[in-house]
Amino acid sequence: MEHSTREALTVRAAEKRAHQRQIRAIDQQLGRLARTALDEDSYTTKASLGQMLGISATAVANLIDGIDAPAGQDRIVVLDNTDAGLYVRKQGARIVRSISSFDDSDAWAHALIDPRDLYDEDGKGELPHVFWLLDTGEWVGVTNATVGYGGTGCGYTEQALIAAGTDPQAAHDIVSWRFCDARDITDPGTWTTSDRWPVTRLTAPTVTNGYLIARFGPALRHLETSWRRSEATVDSTGFYPSASEQTAADAWIALLDSPDCPVWAQGPRRARIFVDSEAAALQEYITHGQFHGLLHSPYVCPTVVIEQGDLQLWAHFDRPSEPWRLLSDETYAFLRLAGIETAELEDEDERRGSTVSRTVRSLLRTDRNLAPYFDVAISNDVIDDPELRHSPGAATAAAG
């Protein structure tokens, strides 16, 4: 009963945030329509618009200004370790579940909170290493709190747990692990723990133009940044070997296929397959290196973009070494994993690789016209248009 209650609280909180976001989107659309009406018709007033909509002139003004709801009302409360415990006490609440990790994304990957609820309007903010689910259904993120080693950060986490009403022994045990999902904070028998990290290949998506982007793939190694975490080698030797046996591609597709797929990643699945990197760059599907902004800073483009709900997966695979091939074996394997039929593309590869075909292209210095990218719908739902709904536009995130 306790377990089902906790799961119900999690679902309720996620559905509430999704509903709030839908309402805000409708209000923003109304605000844009109201502004257009005022700009185009000098006889239109806020009062007349309000009368037509059944709201006050002040409410119309608020819609236009985009302040119809208090800023961030659906965001997750993220507090410093010194304030988090006091916040829980003031709410008259208690922690029913605690998720903590040494790694940047492990705690997030088990809470699966919409990243837009954690960051500000520009998609900026600190990703907490500790999340608490309260008995009210509310999630709280705790910053300046770490786990899994003997430093002061772990002490701060332990103190915050105790200040929130957690049993001191349970608090001490939780922070001793590099990962701990205490599904029932009062029952260690329900905890999932690890002294290795990362425990998952899911990394928190970035926020771009209001939607989410998760980047992964072996070609990110060319940027020589923290993106290397998502490479295919899952058990690198080192002081803290990874506990994960999945690639990032495996982990993300498994999540999208799961019946527990989060609200923000639910919906029809679409894909864009780039056979030409230049086409991806022209459409601003670009992942920059950590020195983005400097002259000649490196960047790579995804080979495949999978879109489901408000999430896009940018899969970065190396281009095939054979110049006549459209895609690499790794890319074909990922496409099949995502449910995309590859037979037609692979047949084209085989045709292009034939001796006759290569000879003709060499002599005539020409090639059969091929689209630089393909849009594909991969869903049992009825989709009128397979084209991706979200575009990176001018905003492209830098690796870091």
Side-chain angles (χ1 to χ4, degrees):
M1 183 65 180
E2 277 285 331
H3 175 73
S4 60
T5 300
R6 289 192 304 275
E7 295 300 318
L9 288 170
T10 303
V11 172
R12 186 181 71 183
E15 289 179 342
K16 180 180 179 181
R17 291 192 298 274
H19 177 69
Q20 289 170 332
R21 185 172 289 110
Q22 290 170 352
I23 294 298
R24 189 166 62 210
I26 293 171
D27 287 341
Q28 289 171 342
Q29 180 65 18
L30 286 172
R32 286 190 288 269
L33 292 172
R35 179 180 284 116
T36 299
L38 290 170
D39 290 343
E40 295 180 351
D41 186 351
S42 59
Y43 293 101
T44 299
T45 65
K46 293 175 184 176
S48 63
L49 287 172
Q51 186 175 13
M52 183 172 60
L53 295 171
I55 58 178
S56 68
T58 301
V60 172
N62 288 342
L63 286 171
I64 293 172
D65 293 338
I67 57 171
D68 49 277
Q73 69 169 24
D74 62 342
R75 294 186 66 231
I76 299 298
V77 174
V78 179
L79 297 169
D80 185 87
N81 64 77
T82 56
D83 300 320
L86 180 61
Y87 174 81
V88 174
R89 288 290 185 91
K90 282 187 174 181
Q91 301 301 307
R94 66 183 181 88
I95 302 171
V96 295
R97 179 183 181 186
S98 171
I99 311 176
S100 52
S101 65
F102 185 86
D103 183 76
D104 287 344
S105 289
D106 278 343
W108 170 83
H110 285 73
L112 289 177
I113 293 167
D114 189 329
R116 293 169 296 188
D117 294 341
L118 295 169
Y119 303 142
D120 61 24
E121 295 298 324
D122 295 324
K124 307 297 183 183
E126 180 180 352
L127 186 66
H129 286 230
V130 177
F131 289 100
W132 296 339
L133 177 62
L134 308 185
D135 58 359
T136 60
E138 179 184 12
W139 281 100
V140 175
V142 187
T143 59
N144 293 321
T146 54
V147 295
Y149 70 105
T152 56
C154 298
Y156 293 148
T157 308
E158 185 174 346
Q159 292 168 18
L161 283 162
I162 294 171
T166 303
D167 176 75
Q169 184 60 53
H172 176 77
D173 293 343
I174 285 171
V175 303
S176 68
W177 295 101
R178 294 197 179 98
F179 171 79
C180 180
D181 182 357
R183 298 193 68 85
D184 181 344
I185 201 167
T186 65
D187 181 7
T190 67
W191 299 4
T192 300
T193 59
S194 175
D195 59 1
R196 300 194 299 166
W197 63 277
V199 296
T200 176
R201 285 289 155 180
L202 297 178
T203 53
T206 57
V207 181
T208 300
N209 294 346
Y211 70 102
L212 306 170
I213 301 174
R215 296 167 170 85
F216 57 86
L220 290 174
R221 71 183 181 280
H222 300 300
L223 299 179
E224 291 299 324
T225 70
S226 59
W227 291 116
R228 288 175 292 174
R229 178 181 183 273
S230 66
E231 288 184 32
T233 303
V234 297
D235 264 331
S236 57
T237 58
F239 189 59
Y240 303 120
S242 169
S244 173
E245 298 298 334
Q246 283 185 310
T247 64
D250 293 334
W252 275 112
I253 296 301
L255 179 66
L256 295 190
D257 287 343
S258 168
D260 299 322
C261 180
V263 172
W264 43 267
Q266 292 179 11
R269 186 177 301 177
R270 298 172 171 88
R272 179 163 294 177
I273 306 166
F274 289 103
V275 296
D276 184 347
S277 296
E278 186 176 342
L282 288 172
Q283 295 177 35
E284 300 189 63
Y285 288 93
I286 297 171
T287 298
H288 289 284
Q290 65 185 112
F291 300 112
H292 174 44
L294 299 181
L295 188 63
H296 304 306
S297 62
Y299 69 86
V300 292
C301 297
T303 323
V304 181
V305 175
I306 301 287
E307 182 179 86
Q308 186 167 306
D310 286 338
L311 173 69
Q312 284 189 351
L313 306 182
W314 289 17
H316 301 75
F317 295 102
D318 291 312
R319 293 292 167 182
S321 56
E322 303 89 344
W324 63 85
R325 294 193 63 190
L326 301 178
L327 301 169
S328 67
D329 290 337
E330 283 183 307
T331 306
Y332 282 126
F334 174 69
L335 291 172
R336 289 190 292 269
L337 179 70
I340 301 173
E341 176 56 54
T342 63
E344 187 174 342
L345 285 171
E346 291 185 274
D347 287 346
E348 177 66 18
D349 260 357
E350 186 174 349
R351 185 198 68 78
R352 290 165 58 85
S354 70
T355 302
V356 172
S357 180
R358 281 183 286 163
T359 302
V360 169
R361 286 200 306 274
S362 175
L363 291 174
L364 300 180
R365 298 181 180 276
T366 185
D367 198 354
R368 191 172 77 175
N369 290 329
L370 284 172
Y373 67 90
F374 302 93
D375 285 334
V376 182
I378 331 157
S379 175
N380 293 326
D381 301 321
V382 176
I383 302 176
D384 295 329
D385 186 359
E387 185 174 350
L388 302 181
R389 297 184 304 117
H390 300 296
S391 171
T396 50

